[in-house]
Amino acid sequence: MDYSLSLHNPPKTLPFLPSKSKEPCAFPPNFAHRRFYGQNLGDSCTFRNRKVPVVVARAGPSHCEFSSSPLNTPLEPNSPAGKFLSRVLQNQRQYFTLAVSDELKQLADDRDAAVTRMFLSSGSDEAPLHRRIAQLKEHECQTAVEDVMYMLLIYKFSEIRVPLVPKLSRCMYNGRLEIWPSKDWELESIYKFEVLQMIREHISTVIGLRVNSSVTDTWATTQIQRLHLGRVYAASILYGYFLKSASLRYDLEQCLSLVHRDFCLSRKNSLQVPEMWPHGLKNLVFGHVNNPESVTLGQGTGKVEPKQEKLKCYLMGFDPETLQRCAKLRSKEAVNLIEKHSYALFGDGKKGLLLETDDMILTSFSSLKRLVLEAIAFGSFLWDTEEYVDAVYKLKEN
Protein backbone atom coordinates (compact mmCIF):
# COMPACT_ATOMS: atom_id res chain seq x y z
CA MET A 1 0.00 0.00 0.00
CA ASP A 2 1.48 3.29 -1.10
CA TYR A 3 0.44 6.34 0.89
CA SER A 4 2.39 8.76 -1.28
CA LEU A 5 0.85 10.75 -4.11
CA SER A 6 2.33 11.11 -7.55
CA LEU A 7 4.00 14.45 -8.30
CA HIS A 8 3.34 14.12 -12.01
CA ASN A 9 -0.30 13.05 -11.69
CA PRO A 10 -1.79 15.10 -8.85
CA PRO A 11 -5.29 14.10 -7.75
CA LYS A 12 -8.14 16.34 -8.73
CA THR A 13 -9.49 16.37 -5.19
CA LEU A 14 -7.96 15.88 -1.79
CA PRO A 15 -7.88 12.28 -0.54
CA PHE A 16 -9.51 13.36 2.70
CA LEU A 17 -12.02 15.77 1.19
CA PRO A 18 -15.39 15.09 -0.48
CA SER A 19 -15.57 14.83 -4.23
CA LYS A 20 -16.28 17.95 -6.21
CA SER A 21 -19.78 19.22 -6.71
CA LYS A 22 -21.89 17.57 -9.38
CA GLU A 23 -23.70 20.75 -10.31
CA PRO A 24 -24.22 21.17 -14.07
CA CYS A 25 -22.29 24.44 -13.96
CA ALA A 26 -18.64 24.08 -14.90
CA PHE A 27 -15.96 25.68 -12.80
CA PRO A 28 -15.38 29.26 -14.01
CA PRO A 29 -12.37 29.48 -16.35
CA ASN A 30 -9.13 30.97 -15.04
CA PHE A 31 -10.67 30.92 -11.58
CA ALA A 32 -7.42 31.40 -9.69
CA HIS A 33 -6.39 34.47 -11.67
CA ARG A 34 -9.48 36.51 -10.77
CA ARG A 35 -7.92 37.66 -7.54
CA PHE A 36 -5.22 39.58 -9.47
CA TYR A 37 -7.74 41.61 -11.44
CA GLY A 38 -10.16 42.36 -8.63
CA GLN A 39 -13.03 40.46 -10.27
CA ASN A 40 -15.85 38.82 -8.37
CA LEU A 41 -16.23 35.09 -8.34
CA GLY A 42 -19.48 35.26 -10.24
CA ASP A 43 -19.78 36.35 -13.81
CA SER A 44 -20.81 32.99 -15.22
CA CYS A 45 -22.94 29.93 -14.45
CA THR A 46 -24.73 30.11 -11.09
CA PHE A 47 -23.01 33.43 -10.32
CA ARG A 48 -24.57 35.27 -13.26
CA ASN A 49 -26.74 38.35 -12.63
CA ARG A 50 -26.38 38.33 -8.90
CA LYS A 51 -23.83 39.50 -6.37
CA VAL A 52 -21.92 37.01 -4.31
CA PRO A 53 -22.75 37.52 -0.62
CA VAL A 54 -19.70 38.30 1.46
CA VAL A 55 -19.55 36.79 4.94
CA VAL A 56 -17.45 38.73 7.41
CA ALA A 57 -16.04 36.85 10.41
CA ARG A 58 -16.57 38.82 13.59
CA ALA A 59 -16.24 38.01 17.23
CA GLY A 60 -19.62 37.35 18.81
CA PRO A 61 -21.04 39.36 21.69
CA SER A 62 -20.02 36.69 24.18
CA HIS A 63 -16.44 36.69 25.44
CA CYS A 64 -15.63 33.51 23.49
CA GLU A 65 -18.57 32.86 21.20
CA PHE A 66 -17.68 31.11 17.97
CA SER A 67 -18.79 32.78 14.78
CA SER A 68 -20.89 30.88 12.23
CA SER A 69 -18.09 31.56 9.76
CA PRO A 70 -15.26 28.98 9.66
CA LEU A 71 -12.77 31.84 9.35
CA ASN A 72 -13.00 33.30 12.84
CA THR A 73 -9.49 31.92 13.35
CA PRO A 74 -6.37 33.17 15.15
CA LEU A 75 -4.32 33.46 11.96
CA GLU A 76 -5.53 35.41 8.95
CA PRO A 77 -4.12 34.79 5.46
CA ASN A 78 -2.03 37.64 4.07
CA SER A 79 -1.15 36.39 0.58
CA PRO A 80 -3.43 36.88 -2.45
CA ALA A 81 -3.86 33.10 -2.69
CA GLY A 82 -4.88 32.79 0.95
CA LYS A 83 -7.33 35.70 0.79
CA PHE A 84 -8.82 34.32 -2.40
CA LEU A 85 -9.38 30.86 -0.89
CA SER A 86 -10.83 32.50 2.20
CA ARG A 87 -13.50 34.18 0.07
CA VAL A 88 -14.20 30.96 -1.82
CA LEU A 89 -14.60 28.96 1.40
CA GLN A 90 -17.03 31.49 2.82
CA ASN A 91 -19.11 32.22 -0.28
CA GLN A 92 -18.74 29.32 -2.75
CA ARG A 93 -17.73 26.33 -0.67
CA GLN A 94 -18.54 23.79 -3.39
CA TYR A 95 -15.66 25.13 -5.47
CA PHE A 96 -13.09 25.18 -2.69
CA THR A 97 -11.20 21.97 -3.53
CA LEU A 98 -10.98 22.90 -7.20
CA ALA A 99 -9.73 26.37 -6.29
CA VAL A 100 -7.05 24.86 -4.03
CA SER A 101 -5.83 22.56 -6.79
CA ASP A 102 -5.70 25.45 -9.26
CA GLU A 103 -3.83 27.67 -6.81
CA LEU A 104 -1.19 25.04 -6.04
CA LYS A 105 -0.54 24.38 -9.73
CA GLN A 106 -0.26 28.11 -10.41
CA LEU A 107 2.19 28.62 -7.54
CA ALA A 108 4.30 25.68 -8.70
CA ASP A 109 4.37 27.03 -12.26
CA ASP A 110 5.33 30.54 -11.09
CA ARG A 111 8.21 29.27 -8.97
CA ASP A 112 9.48 26.88 -11.65
CA ALA A 113 9.35 29.60 -14.29
CA ALA A 114 11.47 31.95 -12.17
CA VAL A 115 14.03 29.21 -11.50
CA THR A 116 14.17 28.32 -15.20
CA ARG A 117 14.84 31.95 -16.18
CA MET A 118 17.60 32.09 -13.56
CA PHE A 119 19.38 29.08 -15.05
CA LEU A 120 18.91 30.27 -18.64
CA SER A 121 20.48 33.64 -17.78
CA SER A 122 23.47 32.04 -16.07
CA GLY A 123 26.69 33.68 -17.28
CA SER A 124 24.97 36.75 -18.71
CA ASP A 125 24.82 40.30 -17.38
CA GLU A 126 21.23 39.66 -16.24
CA ALA A 127 22.13 36.63 -14.11
CA PRO A 128 22.21 38.52 -10.75
CA LEU A 129 18.84 40.13 -11.52
CA HIS A 130 17.14 36.83 -12.36
CA ARG A 131 18.75 35.15 -9.36
CA ARG A 132 17.26 37.81 -7.10
CA ILE A 133 13.88 37.52 -8.83
CA ALA A 134 13.93 33.76 -8.27
CA GLN A 135 14.70 34.24 -4.57
CA LEU A 136 11.86 36.72 -4.14
CA LYS A 137 9.46 34.51 -6.06
CA GLU A 138 10.40 31.51 -3.94
CA HIS A 139 9.75 33.46 -0.73
CA GLU A 140 6.46 34.77 -2.11
CA CYS A 141 5.32 31.30 -3.13
CA GLN A 142 6.32 29.80 0.20
CA THR A 143 4.22 32.37 2.07
CA ALA A 144 1.31 31.70 -0.26
CA VAL A 145 1.50 27.93 0.03
CA GLU A 146 1.54 28.18 3.83
CA ASP A 147 -1.68 30.16 3.59
CA VAL A 148 -3.12 27.52 1.27
CA MET A 149 -2.22 24.81 3.77
CA TYR A 150 -3.84 26.79 6.58
CA MET A 151 -7.03 27.19 4.58
CA LEU A 152 -7.06 23.43 3.95
CA LEU A 153 -6.79 22.87 7.71
CA ILE A 154 -9.70 25.24 8.33
CA TYR A 155 -11.72 23.40 5.70
CA LYS A 156 -10.99 20.06 7.34
CA PHE A 157 -12.10 21.35 10.74
CA SER A 158 -15.27 22.75 9.18
CA GLU A 159 -16.01 19.30 7.74
CA ILE A 160 -16.45 17.96 11.28
CA ARG A 161 -18.25 21.17 12.33
CA VAL A 162 -15.53 22.29 14.72
CA PRO A 163 -14.36 25.92 14.49
CA LEU A 164 -10.84 26.69 15.60
CA VAL A 165 -10.53 28.47 18.92
CA PRO A 166 -10.11 32.21 18.23
CA LYS A 167 -7.36 34.29 19.79
CA LEU A 168 -7.28 33.64 23.51
CA SER A 169 -7.49 37.36 24.19
CA ARG A 170 -11.06 37.16 22.86
CA CYS A 171 -11.84 34.26 25.20
CA MET A 172 -10.72 35.94 28.42
CA TYR A 173 -13.30 37.44 30.75
CA ASN A 174 -12.26 38.86 34.11
CA GLY A 175 -9.02 36.91 33.86
CA ARG A 176 -10.74 33.58 33.19
CA LEU A 177 -10.52 31.50 30.02
CA GLU A 178 -13.59 29.51 29.06
CA ILE A 179 -14.20 27.78 25.73
CA TRP A 180 -17.71 26.66 24.90
CA PRO A 181 -19.03 24.54 23.28
CA SER A 182 -16.33 21.97 23.92
CA LYS A 183 -16.88 19.87 20.74
CA ASP A 184 -15.10 16.92 22.39
CA TRP A 185 -17.20 14.30 20.63
CA GLU A 186 -16.59 15.75 17.16
CA LEU A 187 -12.85 16.03 17.78
CA GLU A 188 -12.62 12.46 19.06
CA SER A 189 -14.79 10.94 16.31
CA ILE A 190 -12.05 11.15 13.66
CA TYR A 191 -9.81 8.51 15.26
CA LYS A 192 -9.78 4.75 15.54
CA PHE A 193 -10.35 3.31 19.01
CA GLU A 194 -6.69 2.46 19.66
CA VAL A 195 -5.54 5.93 18.63
CA LEU A 196 -8.25 7.54 20.74
CA GLN A 197 -7.08 5.60 23.79
CA MET A 198 -3.57 6.96 23.36
CA ILE A 199 -4.94 10.49 22.91
CA ARG A 200 -6.88 10.24 26.16
CA GLU A 201 -3.74 9.08 27.94
CA HIS A 202 -1.88 12.06 26.49
CA ILE A 203 -4.57 14.44 27.78
CA SER A 204 -4.36 12.87 31.22
CA THR A 205 -0.59 13.34 31.22
CA VAL A 206 -0.38 16.95 30.04
CA ILE A 207 -3.31 18.51 31.93
CA GLY A 208 -3.85 16.04 34.78
CA LEU A 209 -7.44 15.14 33.86
CA ARG A 210 -8.24 11.46 34.44
CA VAL A 211 -9.55 9.41 31.54
CA ASN A 212 -12.79 8.51 33.32
CA SER A 213 -13.23 11.80 35.16
CA SER A 214 -16.65 12.95 36.35
CA VAL A 215 -18.49 16.03 35.14
CA THR A 216 -17.58 17.78 38.38
CA ASP A 217 -13.88 17.10 37.80
CA THR A 218 -14.11 18.24 34.19
CA TRP A 219 -15.57 21.63 35.11
CA ALA A 220 -13.28 22.17 38.09
CA THR A 221 -11.08 25.25 37.79
CA THR A 222 -7.32 25.30 37.68
CA GLN A 223 -4.53 27.76 37.00
CA ILE A 224 -1.94 27.41 34.27
CA GLN A 225 0.80 29.67 33.01
CA ARG A 226 0.15 31.07 29.55
CA LEU A 227 3.64 30.08 28.42
CA HIS A 228 3.15 26.51 29.63
CA LEU A 229 -0.25 26.29 27.93
CA GLY A 230 1.31 27.42 24.66
CA ARG A 231 3.97 24.74 24.95
CA VAL A 232 1.36 22.08 25.70
CA TYR A 233 -0.62 23.16 22.62
CA ALA A 234 2.42 23.05 20.31
CA ALA A 235 3.55 19.70 21.75
CA SER A 236 0.05 18.27 21.20
CA ILE A 237 0.16 19.35 17.54
CA LEU A 238 3.38 17.41 17.13
CA TYR A 239 1.86 14.45 18.98
CA GLY A 240 -1.11 14.38 16.61
CA TYR A 241 1.26 14.56 13.65
CA PHE A 242 3.30 11.69 15.09
CA LEU A 243 0.23 9.53 15.75
CA LYS A 244 -0.95 10.00 12.18
CA SER A 245 2.43 9.08 10.72
CA ALA A 246 3.00 6.13 13.07
CA SER A 247 -0.53 4.70 12.68
CA LEU A 248 -0.20 4.75 8.88
CA ARG A 249 3.14 2.98 9.20
CA TYR A 250 1.50 0.45 11.51
CA ASP A 251 -1.37 -0.18 9.08
CA LEU A 252 1.08 -0.61 6.21
CA GLU A 253 3.18 -3.15 8.10
CA GLN A 254 0.05 -5.06 9.13
CA CYS A 255 -1.03 -5.27 5.49
CA LEU A 256 2.41 -6.43 4.39
CA SER A 257 2.44 -9.01 7.18
CA LEU A 258 -0.93 -10.41 6.10
CA VAL A 259 0.15 -10.55 2.45
CA HIS A 260 3.36 -12.37 3.40
CA ARG A 261 1.44 -14.85 5.59
CA ASP A 262 -1.10 -15.59 2.84
CA PHE A 263 1.73 -16.09 0.35
CA CYS A 264 3.50 -18.56 2.64
CA LEU A 265 0.27 -20.49 3.30
CA SER A 266 -0.48 -20.75 -0.42
CA ARG A 267 2.98 -22.20 -1.11
CA LYS A 268 2.67 -24.62 1.81
CA ASN A 269 -0.78 -25.83 0.72
CA SER A 270 0.18 -26.52 -2.89
CA LEU A 271 2.73 -29.32 -2.12
CA GLN A 272 3.63 -29.21 -5.83
CA VAL A 273 1.08 -31.98 -6.51
CA PRO A 274 0.25 -30.79 -10.06
CA GLU A 275 3.93 -31.15 -11.00
CA MET A 276 3.77 -34.86 -10.06
CA TRP A 277 0.72 -35.70 -12.15
CA PRO A 278 2.47 -36.01 -15.53
CA HIS A 279 4.66 -38.75 -14.04
CA GLY A 280 1.69 -41.03 -13.40
CA LEU A 281 1.66 -40.44 -9.67
CA LYS A 282 -1.86 -39.02 -9.50
CA ASN A 283 -3.33 -42.42 -8.54
CA LEU A 284 -0.59 -42.89 -5.98
CA VAL A 285 -1.55 -39.69 -4.17
CA PHE A 286 -5.34 -39.82 -4.67
CA GLY A 287 -5.76 -43.56 -5.14
CA HIS A 288 -8.55 -44.00 -2.58
CA VAL A 289 -10.22 -40.63 -3.05
CA ASN A 290 -13.28 -40.43 -5.28
CA ASN A 291 -12.94 -36.68 -5.90
CA PRO A 292 -9.34 -35.44 -5.77
CA GLU A 293 -10.49 -31.82 -6.24
CA SER A 294 -12.34 -31.98 -2.91
CA VAL A 295 -9.10 -32.52 -0.97
CA THR A 296 -7.94 -29.40 0.94
CA LEU A 297 -4.40 -29.31 2.17
CA GLY A 298 -2.84 -27.41 5.05
CA GLN A 299 -6.08 -27.12 7.04
CA GLY A 300 -6.92 -28.28 10.53
CA THR A 301 -5.34 -27.25 13.79
CA GLY A 302 -2.70 -25.25 11.92
CA LYS A 303 -5.28 -22.74 10.70
CA VAL A 304 -4.84 -20.23 13.47
CA GLU A 305 -4.89 -16.51 12.78
CA PRO A 306 -1.81 -14.79 14.19
CA LYS A 307 -2.57 -12.27 16.92
CA GLN A 308 -2.13 -8.80 15.53
CA GLU A 309 0.13 -6.44 17.36
CA LYS A 310 -1.57 -3.60 19.19
CA LEU A 311 -0.74 -0.07 18.13
CA LYS A 312 0.56 1.03 21.52
CA CYS A 313 2.90 -1.96 21.83
CA TYR A 314 4.02 -1.37 18.26
CA LEU A 315 4.95 2.24 19.00
CA MET A 316 6.75 1.29 22.20
CA GLY A 317 8.96 -0.99 20.12
CA PHE A 318 10.30 1.87 18.02
CA ASP A 319 14.03 2.41 18.07
CA PRO A 320 15.19 6.05 18.48
CA GLU A 321 15.79 6.51 14.75
CA THR A 322 12.31 5.29 13.76
CA LEU A 323 10.73 7.35 16.52
CA GLN A 324 12.47 10.49 15.31
CA ARG A 325 11.55 9.81 11.70
CA CYS A 326 7.82 9.54 12.51
CA ALA A 327 7.81 12.53 14.85
CA LYS A 328 9.79 14.90 12.64
CA LEU A 329 7.88 17.40 10.53
CA ARG A 330 8.71 16.76 6.90
CA SER A 331 8.58 20.32 5.55
CA LYS A 332 9.70 23.82 6.51
CA GLU A 333 6.25 25.09 5.61
CA ALA A 334 4.66 22.87 8.28
CA VAL A 335 7.13 24.15 10.88
CA ASN A 336 6.37 27.77 9.98
CA LEU A 337 2.63 27.13 10.01
CA ILE A 338 2.65 25.65 13.52
CA GLU A 339 4.77 28.53 14.78
CA LYS A 340 2.58 31.24 13.21
CA HIS A 341 -0.66 29.63 14.38
CA SER A 342 0.60 29.19 17.96
CA TYR A 343 1.83 32.77 18.21
CA ALA A 344 -1.44 34.07 16.77
CA LEU A 345 -3.47 31.98 19.23
CA PHE A 346 -1.54 32.73 22.41
CA GLY A 347 0.30 35.96 21.63
CA ASP A 348 -2.04 37.90 19.34
CA GLY A 349 0.29 37.32 16.40
CA LYS A 350 3.17 39.29 17.89
CA LYS A 351 6.17 37.04 17.56
CA GLY A 352 8.06 36.87 20.82
CA LEU A 353 5.13 37.95 23.00
CA LEU A 354 4.37 34.35 23.92
CA LEU A 355 7.90 33.80 25.18
CA GLU A 356 7.76 36.93 27.36
CA THR A 357 4.35 36.21 28.86
CA ASP A 358 4.32 34.54 32.28
CA ASP A 359 0.85 35.50 33.50
CA MET A 360 -1.40 32.87 35.04
CA ILE A 361 -4.69 31.89 33.42
CA LEU A 362 -7.68 30.70 35.41
CA THR A 363 -9.63 28.14 33.41
CA SER A 364 -11.44 24.80 33.61
CA PHE A 365 -10.16 21.35 32.75
CA SER A 366 -12.88 21.22 30.09
CA SER A 367 -11.36 24.21 28.27
CA LEU A 368 -7.86 22.74 28.56
CA LYS A 369 -9.11 19.46 27.11
CA ARG A 370 -10.74 21.35 24.23
CA LEU A 371 -7.45 23.07 23.37
CA VAL A 372 -5.45 19.83 23.53
CA LEU A 373 -7.95 17.91 21.39
CA GLU A 374 -7.91 20.71 18.82
CA ALA A 375 -4.11 20.70 18.74
CA ILE A 376 -3.94 16.94 18.20
CA ALA A 377 -6.48 17.16 15.38
CA PHE A 378 -4.50 20.07 13.91
CA GLY A 379 -1.39 17.88 13.78
CA SER A 380 -3.26 14.96 12.24
CA PHE A 381 -4.87 17.16 9.57
CA LEU A 382 -1.52 18.82 8.95
CA TRP A 383 -0.01 15.44 7.99
CA ASP A 384 -2.77 14.90 5.41
CA THR A 385 -2.49 18.44 4.09
CA GLU A 386 1.28 18.28 3.81
CA GLU A 387 1.04 14.98 1.92
CA TYR A 388 -1.44 16.40 -0.58
CA VAL A 389 0.27 19.75 -1.15
CA ASP A 390 3.72 18.20 -1.58
CA ALA A 391 2.40 16.11 -4.47
CA VAL A 392 1.55 19.27 -6.42
CA TYR A 393 3.88 21.91 -5.01
CA LYS A 394 7.18 20.50 -3.80
CA LEU A 395 7.67 21.65 -0.21
CA LYS A 396 11.02 22.43 1.41
CA GLU A 397 12.47 19.52 3.31
CA ASN A 398 12.78 20.17 7.03
Side-chain angles (χ1 to χ4, degrees):
M1 183 180 295
D2 185 7
Y3 290 97
S4 62
L5 299 174
S6 172
L7 181 63
H8 302 290
N9 298 298
K12 295 182 179 179
T13 56
L14 298 180
F16 58 96
L17 299 178
S19 59
K20 59 185 179 181
S21 173
K22 295 182 180 180
E23 293 185 8
C25 166
F27 193 67
N30 299 323
F31 195 38
H33 303 287
R34 296 178 186 273
R35 66 175 189 272
F36 298 112
Y37 301 101
Q39 297 179 4
N40 268 332
L41 303 181
D43 51 16
S44 62
C45 300
T46 58
F47 305 104
R48 186 179 292 118
N49 297 327
R50 67 180 179 89
K51 293 183 179 180
V52 178
V54 177
V55 180
V56 180
R58 299 181 184 274
S62 175
H63 55 276
C64 195
E65 182 179 345
F66 291 99
S67 169
S68 59
S69 168
L71 299 178
N72 186 29
T73 57
L75 189 62
E76 296 180 0
N78 293 318
S79 66
K83 293 177 180 179
F84 171 71
L85 291 176
S86 174
R87 294 194 299 271
V88 175
L89 182 57
Q90 291 182 90
N91 305 314
Q92 297 294 336
R93 183 186 178 88
Q94 68 271 26
Y95 293 127
F96 180 76
T97 58
L98 293 175
V100 167
S101 178
D102 200 30
E103 287 294 324
L104 290 175
K105 292 175 183 176
Q106 185 64 48
L107 289 171
D109 291 343
D110 291 347
R111 183 182 63 175
D112 293 344
V115 173
T116 300
R117 287 193 297 269
M118 180 186 69
F119 282 114
L120 291 176
S121 65
S122 179
S124 67
D125 296 338
E126 297 179 348
L129 174 62
H130 285 288
R131 182 167 59 250
R132 181 57 179 164
I133 292 175
Q135 292 172 350
L136 293 174
K137 178 59 67 175
E138 183 178 7
H139 177 73
E140 177 187 330
C141 290
Q142 181 176 344
T143 302
V145 82
E146 289 172 7
D147 280 351
V148 172
M149 293 172 67
Y150 194 67
M151 294 307 304
L152 286 170
L153 290 170
I154 295 173
Y155 180 88
K156 185 57 179 173
F157 273 100
S158 70
E159 285 291 283
I160 59 173
R161 301 183 182 278
V162 176
L164 287 172
V165 174
K167 295 179 180 181
L168 290 193
S169 59
R170 299 180 183 176
C171 301
M172 301 293 295
Y173 183 73
N174 289 340
R176 174 164 179 165
L177 170 67
E178 208 59 68
I179 302 171
W180 181 259
S182 60
K183 295 288 185 177
D184 290 357
W185 184 89
E186 290 86 349
L187 289 168
E188 291 179 347
S189 65
I190 62 177
Y191 307 106
K192 297 185 298 184
F193 177 75
E194 285 186 309
V195 177
L196 183 58
Q197 290 296 102
M198 297 184 65
I199 290 174
R200 288 171 176 170
E201 291 178 7
H202 172 78
I203 292 174
S204 177
T205 300
V206 298
I207 68 174
L209 184 65
R210 299 192 308 272
V211 175
N212 297 320
S213 58
S214 64
V215 176
T216 304
D217 294 335
T218 301
W219 285 103
T221 58
T222 184
Q223 282 190 328
I224 186 170
Q225 194 177 39
R226 181 189 289 260
L227 173 61
H228 180 65
L229 181 57
R231 288 173 175 171
V232 167
Y233 189 89
S236 297
I237 291 178
L238 297 177
Y239 185 68
Y241 187 96
F242 163 76
L243 280 181
K244 180 69 175 184
S245 176
S247 61
L248 288 176
R249 181 188 177 97
Y250 169 77
D251 292 340
L252 177 60
E253 291 194 9
Q254 288 295 319
C255 291
L256 293 176
S257 176
L258 290 175
V259 170
H260 177 70
R261 180 177 63 86
D262 292 342
F263 176 72
C264 292
L265 284 176
S266 65
R267 294 195 62 180
K268 177 181 177 181
N269 294 348
S270 65
L271 295 180
Q272 297 182 346
V273 171
E275 296 180 8
M276 300 165 64
W277 291 354
H279 300 280
L281 299 179
K282 180 177 179 179
N283 292 333
L284 178 63
V285 178
F286 301 108
H288 302 286
V289 179
N290 295 328
N291 186 10
E293 286 75 12
S294 65
V295 176
T296 56
L297 304 177
Q299 297 181 359
T301 57
K303 191 179 182 181
V304 179
E305 294 291 335
K307 185 178 180 180
Q308 291 195 355
E309 188 178 15
K310 297 298 182 182
L311 176 61
K312 185 176 180 180
C313 296
Y314 171 77
L315 299 183
M316 292 177 65
F318 276 5
D319 57 81
E321 182 181 353
T322 304
L323 187 64
Q324 184 179 10
R325 188 184 305 116
C326 289
K328 181 182 178 182
L329 297 170
R330 293 172 294 175
S331 68
K332 291 285 187 182
E333 288 81 358
V335 175
N336 295 338
L337 195 55
I338 293 175
E339 181 179 317
K340 291 193 294 186
H341 174 72
S342 299
Y343 277 119
L345 177 61
F346 293 95
D348 289 336
K350 298 177 182 178
K351 189 171 182 179
L353 178 61
L354 177 63
L355 300 178
E356 300 171 359
T357 303
D358 57 357
D359 58 308
M360 300 297 294
I361 296 177
L362 180 66
T363 185
S364 65
F365 284 102
S366 175
S367 296
L368 293 179
K369 182 180 179 182
R370 167 68 167 86
L371 281 170
V372 173
L373 282 174
E374 175 185 288
I376 295 173
F378 191 101
S380 179
F381 294 157
L382 180 60
W383 197 99
D384 289 326
T385 300
E386 191 181 42
E387 182 82 356
Y388 168 73
V389 171
D390 188 59
V392 184
Y393 178 99
K394 192 64 179 176
L395 300 174
K396 286 186 177 181
E397 185 178 355
N398 181 26

